Amino acid sequence: MQTFLHGRDLIGDLDFTKEEVETVLDVAFDLKRKRALNEPHAYLRDKVLAMLFFFSSTRTRGSFEAGIAQLGGHGAFIESRTTQIAHGDTPKEIGEIFGRYYDGIAIRHVDWGVGNKYISEVAKYSRVPVLNMQCDIYHPFQILADLMTIVEKKGRDLRRKKMVVSWAYAASYQKPMSVPQSLILQMPRFGLDVTLVHPPEFRLMPEIMDQAEAEAKKYGAGFEVISDPDGMEKAFKDADIIYAKSWGAMVHTPDPEEGAKIIKKYSHWITDERKMALAKPDAIYMHPLPADRNIEVTDGVIDGPNSVVYDEAENRLHAQKAVMALTMG
Ligand code: CP
């Protein structure tokens, strides 16, 4: 167990070592147990977290705000449009000034090519931990909750379990690629054999792919990539975990209109009962939500017996409380 995470930022998934992530999991399970037993756990009494949002949220806002309150502190919900950021406050001002008011700064900024740079710049000037509530590259807290959920459903020894990270069709908007990128970085460290599958235009960032491959090699896990207009069925075969969600074609084209046109070619990339039947009978279905119901995934799958999406959403609370307690305490 690693016991000194005080003052640390969590921006990219690999910012914490595997042992540090194990510590987060241990603390998260303990906090989940304490909440179930109604045991007080005010490890952050009088501490305040700034929660700065440049993009909408249901789960991230709810779980961070409830989590800091349950730890005895307070979450200040700040929408960027209500600040002076549009009138000249730079990331330096946010890091320097919020770092003097608050005990932690959590930021969501998913704009392609902008979000991660913004959060990293704030961190450069902040004297308190900076937590990434999702950027254009990473969604580390989602993945900690996902890992916790996988451990609950499949046990702590995940070696040789097959996890499919699949692109899925959704026409609502070009969603960030932070979830699949964070999944392929974190999951191989815990022994999962990851199969990434997507149509050719939906490839992930090359530097993230290189890092994921290196992590898989380091931890003796498999990492297979299927880039095929009809690859979903092949990938789902004999899977233990299906994690299928949509993301945009930003690496292929920076033009959102062209990206939207490309997405339309792949409406058959829906997770339905027929495709789920290709996976193992006890395979779990995961999605970070929000999902485009009956477009990205059928009601039958997302509401069916193999779906763990609400446990996944709940675990956001426990995983985030663990990181806040460890870094801000
Ligand atoms: N999964 C997730 O981050 O949900 P929100 O966008 O609602 O925060």
Side-chain angles (χ1 to χ4, degrees):
M1 186 175 215
Q2 298 295 300
T3 53
F4 196 75
L5 281 88
H6 178 80
R8 294 271 296 279
D9 300 328
L10 181 56
I11 298 174
D13 300 84
L14 306 183
D15 290 354
F16 286 4
T17 64
K18 186 194 171 203
E19 276 185 311
E20 288 166 345
V21 175
E22 299 264 18
T23 301
V24 170
L25 286 183
D26 286 347
V27 174
F29 281 118
D30 183 51
L31 290 170
K32 186 169 186 171
R33 190 186 62 82
K34 284 191 163 75
R35 179 163 162 76
L37 292 170
N38 209 17
E39 272 181 30
H41 47 276
Y43 299 127
L44 294 181
R45 200 181 296 282
D46 302 328
K47 304 272 183 179
V48 188
L49 176 73
M51 300 171 11
L52 174 59
F53 282 86
F54 289 78
F55 191 72
S56 53
S57 166
T58 303
R59 281 143 292 271
T60 304
R61 181 199 171 168
S63 51
F64 266 102
E65 197 165 314
I68 185 80
Q70 289 163 20
L71 290 167
H74 172 74
F77 173 63
I78 305 161
E79 284 185 284
S80 65
R81 65 180 176 82
T82 66
T83 69
Q84 300 284 30
I85 288 171
H87 300 149
D89 276 338
T90 65
K92 181 177 181 181
E93 267 88 59
I94 298 300
E96 277 285 358
I97 298 167
F98 277 10
R100 294 170 194 228
Y101 298 160
Y102 298 104
D103 302 288
I105 305 172
I107 305 175
R108 167 170 281 197
H109 197 331
V110 300
D111 289 358
W112 180 244
V114 178
N116 184 266
K117 286 195 184 86
Y118 185 91
I119 296 172
S120 302
E121 193 68 5
V122 171
K124 201 165 122 187
Y125 294 102
S126 169
R127 62 184 68 186
V128 299
V130 171
L131 308 178
N132 178 1
M133 296 195 293
Q134 189 180 17
C135 68
D136 49 331
I137 302 178
Y138 310 109
H139 197 352
F141 288 96
Q142 178 64 52
I143 273 53
L144 291 174
D146 295 337
L147 182 58
M148 192 175 170
T149 310
I150 292 170
V151 168
E152 284 176 339
K153 307 297 177 190
K154 297 288 176 191
R156 204 113 194 185
D157 183 3
L158 298 171
R159 282 171 300 176
R160 302 282 76 89
K161 295 259 186 265
K162 178 178 175 182
M163 177 173 195
V164 175
V165 177
S166 176
W167 186 83
Y169 174 68
S172 49
Y173 69 102
Q174 290 213 70
K175 303 186 184 198
M177 57 177 62
S178 47
V179 168
Q181 295 203 143
S182 285
L183 284 170
I184 66 167
L185 289 173
Q186 192 69 272
M187 296 308 176
R189 300 166 105 193
F190 290 84
L192 285 160
D193 291 338
V194 171
T195 297
L196 171 70
V197 61
H198 55 72
E201 299 91 338
F202 294 90
R203 62 187 187 276
L204 302 178
M205 294 168 66
E207 53 271 43
I208 298 292
M209 293 294 290
D210 290 347
Q211 281 181 303
E213 211 170 282
E215 290 300 307
K217 201 169 166 192
K218 182 171 168 189
Y219 290 99
F223 182 52
E224 183 191 13
V225 183
I226 302 174
S227 175
D228 181 328
D230 299 301
M232 214 177 187
E233 279 89 348
K234 186 180 169 200
F236 274 37
K237 207 168 164 335
D238 296 326
D240 297 284
I241 300 155
I242 299 290
Y243 200 122
K245 79 167 302 295
S246 190
W247 65 83
M250 289 81 83
V251 171
H252 178 75
T253 171
D255 178 0
E257 275 181 32
E258 197 193 335
K261 261 191 220 153
I262 295 167
I263 289 176
K264 289 200 174 73
K265 293 199 301 189
Y266 299 109
S267 60
H268 57 295
W269 282 64
I270 180 170
T271 308
D272 56 17
E273 289 82 340
R274 187 185 60 79
K275 292 193 194 88
M276 278 301 290
L278 300 168
K280 288 190 180 150
D282 65 347
I284 55 172
Y285 168 79
M286 303 184 77
H287 193 294
L289 305 178
D292 288 23
R293 278 177 174 258
N294 299 310
I295 295 169
E296 204 175 353
V297 54
T298 60
D299 281 343
V301 170
I302 200 167
D303 296 327
N306 300 65
S307 174
V308 298
V309 296
Y310 298 122
D311 291 337
E312 228 182 313
E314 177 187 333
N315 285 336
R316 294 290 303 275
L317 177 73
H318 310 301
Q320 287 157 198
K321 283 168 72 178
V323 174
M324 287 190 282
L326 288 162
T327 60
M328 292 168 60

